[in-house]
Each structure stands twice: as structure tokens, then as C-alpha cells.
């Protein structure tokens, strides 16, 4: 799947989130969950049958194991997946599922009173290319025939606790929880051509990593990781240098 979803998929996502909240998957309050509700809702969306969740594979547990396929939901820190992926890929196809916030609604939680502010829209909008920063940690698996990536672009409600720095205690405040509000799009990454779709069509060749970051709308600090992933998958190839900057073109397997 690539891009906007149909009404049935959107409804399945909504029901998964609703069942997670009502089914008692995540007891406790905001600030104690560590993003468990988002994680649990995504598992239900991938497989409504909860008996397929948290299945032992060797000394690890798969988030979802169904029909010979493992799904691992990772909301951040993909470097934590490397050891278990080496084990899972010996036997199963594995899809790493990574949610990206298309629109984020932010609320602040007072840890002393428990008061929660009304949600406000964040000015930052996520996109499929945001996954490249984290996929950098999984470079060794990107061309494995059993390895797949599914990016879920969703609207999310985020809660942060007022325990950061500064007068308002908001600077570097920790994230307490994220809750799904709705699914917008799905991007399946499996082939060099799939990864090449993360390159804006308007970007002329050859291009530098800085030009790619600007065209794709990702932070400049993420450009090196992005090009590492795109090069490793064959979506782009190096074709020379301009001063100290490498030049890239779309990979031959993507045209």
C-alpha cells in the first residue's frame, strides 16, 4: 500500500484504538503508560486477534506473530530492535511498523495536580520521509528479502509532563504518552522503487544531501542518515562530488 487509505482501513484503525481504551489493555493513567496505548492500538490494528500478540520467539517476544509473519511496532529507538531482528529473520518475514505523526495535538500534564491542558495543534507536520532517521539503525537489514517496513501516518494526541527546564518547565519536557486519533496513510517499503518514492519528483539530478533534505522537508541534521538509508536500499547512488559534498542520482533499479 502507498498513500491514502480507504474508509474501511480508517474504520479498522479507529476500532482498534477504541477497543484498546475500553478493553483494559493498558491500566493506569497518563504519565505512567510509556506510550503503551499507542503501541497496543497498533498491535490490534495489525491483528485484532489478541492471541497473536506478544508471542515468544526464542528468547524474545514478537509484538504480533500471525500466519508466519512477525510485526514489530517501534515508536522510537529502532536501534533496540537489532538483536531480536537477527533472530526473527532466521525463520519469519518481519515487518517493522513505525508511526509518524501527520498532525500532533499537544497537551501538558501537571504532575502534582494531574491537571491536563486542552490540546493544541503542533505547527510541525510529519511525513513518510521522517522514518529514514530511525531506519538508519537498521541499515544491515534493509536489503534482507524477509525484511519490510510499514510507515503509518496518523494524527496523534501527545501528552508531556511539566517537568522540563525553564520557567514554564516545558523545555525538554518528557513525553508521557501518545494516543492515536486517526490513520491518514500507509507507506509500505520493500523494494528500491518503494524507497525511491521518498525522493520528491521535483528534485533535479544530481543532487546533494542538503538539496534532498530541503526538497523532502526533513531537518538538515537528518540528511546524512536519510542518504545512508536510500543508498543502502539502492534507491539512490553516488555519482560524484561537488566541492566537499557527494552528488546523488536515483538508483538504476528504480527507473
Amino acid at each position: 500500500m502507498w498513500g491514502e487509505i480507504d474508509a474501511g482501513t480508517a474504520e479498522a484503525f479507529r476500532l482498534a484504538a477504541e477497543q484498546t481504551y475500553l478493553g483494559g489493555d493498558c491500566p493506569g493513567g497518563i504519565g505512567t503508560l510509556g506510550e503503551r496505548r499507542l503501541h497496543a492500538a497498533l498491535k490490534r490494528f495489525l491483528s485484532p486477534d489478541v492471541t497473536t500478540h506478544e508471542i515468544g520467539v526464542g528468547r524474545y517476544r514478537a509484538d504480533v506473530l500471525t500466519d508466519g509473519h512477525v510485526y514489530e511496532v517501534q515508536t522510537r529507538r529502532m536501534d533496540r530492535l537489532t538483536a531480536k531482528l537477527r533472530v526473527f529473520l532466521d525463520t519469519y518475514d518481519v515487518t517493522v511498523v513505525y508511526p509518524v505523526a501527520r498532525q500532533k495535538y499537544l497537551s501538558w500534564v501537571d504532575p502534582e495536580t494531574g491537571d491536563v491542558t486542552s490540546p493544541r495543534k503542533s505547527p510541525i507536520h510529519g511525513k513518510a520521509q521522517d522514518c529514514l532517521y530511525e531506519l538508519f539503525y537498521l541499515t544491515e537489514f534493509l536489503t534482507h528479502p524477509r525484511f519490510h517496513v510499514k510507515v503509518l501516518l496518523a494524527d496523534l494526541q501527545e501528552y508531556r509532563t511539566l517537568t522540563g527546564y525553564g520557567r514554564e518547565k516545558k523545555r525538554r519536557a518528557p513525553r508521557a504518552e501518545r494516543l492515536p486519533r486517526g490513520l491518514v496513510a500507509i507507506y509500505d517499503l520493500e523494494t528500491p522503487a518503494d524507497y525511491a518514492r521518498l525522493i520528491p519528483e521535483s528534485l533535479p539530478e544530481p543532487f546533494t544531501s542538503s538539496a534532498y533534505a530541503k526538497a523532502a522537508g526533513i531537518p538538515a541534521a537528518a540528511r546524512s542518515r536519510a542518504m545512508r538509508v536510500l543508498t543502502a536500499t539502492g534507491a539512490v547512488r553516488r555519482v560524484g562530488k561537488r566541492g566537499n559534498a557527494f552528488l546523488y542520482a536515483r538508483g538504476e533499479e528504480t527507473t
Side-chain angles (χ1 to χ4, degrees):
M1 184 177 292
W2 188 272
E4 292 187 5
I5 58 174
D6 58 30
T9 303
E11 177 64 7
F13 185 86
R14 186 194 68 79
L15 287 174
E18 181 179 274
Q19 290 166 357
T20 299
Y21 304 153
L22 299 179
D25 291 16
C26 304
I30 291 170
T32 67
L33 302 178
E35 296 194 296
R36 286 173 54 196
R37 280 184 178 159
L38 175 60
H39 192 271
L42 295 183
K43 287 193 297 183
R44 276 188 179 261
F45 172 66
L46 294 165
S47 177
D49 180 3
V50 296
T51 65
T52 65
H53 299 179
E54 300 298 325
I55 304 299
V57 178
R59 61 191 182 94
Y60 297 104
R61 299 190 72 81
D63 285 337
V64 175
L65 175 56
T66 178
D67 296 327
H69 198 119
V70 168
Y71 293 89
E72 278 296 306
V73 178
Q74 195 71 9
T75 59
R76 54 184 172 178
R77 293 295 305 274
M78 284 197 188
D79 55 312
R80 297 173 178 173
L81 286 178
T82 55
K84 62 163 57 177
L85 285 179
R86 294 187 187 113
V87 173
F88 293 167
L89 286 167
D90 280 342
T91 308
Y92 301 103
D93 272 52
V94 178
T95 295
V96 172
V97 181
Y98 183 66
V100 172
R102 189 278 303 263
Q103 177 64 66
K104 182 169 64 177
Y105 298 82
L106 180 62
S107 293
W108 294 96
V109 181
D110 187 320
E112 296 182 1
T113 65
D115 291 341
V116 181
T117 66
S118 299
R120 291 190 176 184
K121 282 187 178 182
S122 167
I124 300 174
H125 292 80
K127 54 191 70 67
Q129 289 88 345
D130 292 342
C131 73
L132 297 175
Y133 185 82
E134 286 290 336
L135 286 179
F136 165 81
Y137 293 112
L138 305 183
T139 302
E140 68 177 279
F141 307 108
L142 295 177
T143 58
H144 193 292
R146 290 178 174 168
F147 180 80
H148 318 279
V149 176
K150 186 182 292 291
V151 179
L152 302 182
L153 193 64
D155 292 339
L156 301 177
Q157 171 69 47
E158 181 172 307
Y159 295 89
R160 289 183 178 267
T161 57
L162 291 170
T163 54
Y165 300 95
R167 186 178 63 181
E168 296 184 332
K169 299 183 179 180
K170 292 182 177 181
R171 186 158 55 93
R172 296 183 181 177
R175 186 166 65 201
E177 177 66 297
R178 288 194 296 177
L179 309 179
R181 293 178 62 136
L183 184 63
V184 178
I186 296 176
Y187 302 94
D188 288 318
L189 301 173
E190 298 184 359
T191 69
D194 294 330
Y195 284 90
R197 297 176 79 171
L198 299 177
I199 305 171
E201 293 183 1
S202 60
L203 184 62
E205 297 179 356
F207 53 86
T208 63
S209 61
S210 295
Y212 171 78
K214 183 176 181 180
I218 63 174
R223 65 181 188 243
S224 294
R225 290 190 178 190
M227 299 317 297
R228 174 73 177 275
V229 171
L230 294 175
T231 301
T233 59
V236 304
R237 66 188 192 280
R238 286 183 182 175
V239 295
K241 293 188 74 173
R242 181 184 297 152
N244 292 325
F246 286 109
L247 294 173
Y248 299 88
R250 291 166 178 81
E252 294 177 355
E253 296 183 52
T254 67
T255 57

